[in-house]
Amino acid sequence: MQDGRYALPTNAVVNLPNGYKPSAKEEYMNPRHLEYFRRKLQRWREDLVEESKQTIENLRDEVRDVGDEAERATRETENSLELRTRDRYRKLISKIDKALKRIEEGRYGFCEETDEDIGLDRLDARPIATLCLDAQERWEHRQKQMGD
């Protein structure tokens, strides 16, 4: 525990009961909460890495000598979509890695802007969240005003 918050180093082992789900009745971001989210993030990361490997293999195995132009155009469109998806996964994996780092440092689950609790429900739905709901809404409002 540092600064009144728990940190969970990579080598720390926390046993979770089968079917464990964080509860608001427990202390917020206690070691069990952190372990639950660490496992969730690690599984998500592993799935994305595996899907990315599949994409690479699919592109490699694909026959480049395609018959007519219509079929070639279809293949190029499919390849472009695959590569965009892979790029999205790469960015998501980076965000997952940052969330795992925040778990190690004792900053996970707290808003980067206000330092308030992000909330268990929000983190369960979006475990890479870095902003509480109010701060996220303000950020989105600013983005709309700027035209992005």
Side-chain angles (χ1 to χ4, degrees), residues 27-142:
E27 181 182 9
Y28 186 71
M29 285 303 131
N30 66 59
R32 283 178 146 190
H33 286 185
L34 293 172
E35 181 64 19
Y36 171 85
F37 287 110
R38 178 167 64 181
R39 289 182 187 182
K40 184 173 186 137
L41 288 160
Q42 287 171 334
R43 276 192 308 273
W44 191 14
R45 187 184 194 289
E46 288 166 8
D47 291 346
L48 291 171
V49 167
E50 186 58 37
E51 285 185 45
S52 291
K53 286 179 184 175
Q54 290 294 128
T55 299
I56 293 168
E57 291 197 20
N58 290 345
L59 292 173
R60 262 193 212 134
D61 293 344
E62 190 174 281
V63 178
R64 295 287 172 214
D65 189 23
V66 181
D68 64 0
E69 289 195 29
E71 193 171 337
R72 189 175 310 131
T74 300
R75 282 272 167 93
E76 287 179 16
T77 301
E78 289 171 356
N79 289 349
S80 176
L81 181 61
E82 288 268 343
L83 291 171
R84 279 200 311 266
T85 300
R86 186 167 167 239
D87 189 50
R88 213 173 315 133
Y89 286 175
R90 181 186 56 77
K91 291 174 183 173
L92 197 48
I93 288 169
S94 174
K95 289 180 181 182
I96 291 170
D97 288 343
K98 288 176 183 174
L100 290 167
K101 185 76 171 160
R102 288 192 306 275
I103 288 173
E104 289 177 32
E105 295 171 347
R107 297 181 299 119
Y108 186 80
F110 298 92
C111 180
E112 290 183 346
E113 188 177 298
T114 65
D115 208 34
E116 295 173 9
D117 298 357
I118 291 175
L120 294 174
D121 290 339
R122 179 162 166 70
L123 287 169
D124 211 24
R126 184 144 179 91
I128 57 173
T130 59
L131 299 173
C132 64
L133 198 52
D134 289 341
Q136 181 70 36
E137 287 173 353
R138 283 192 300 274
W139 182 85
E140 289 173 4
H141 182 72
R142 283 192 302 269

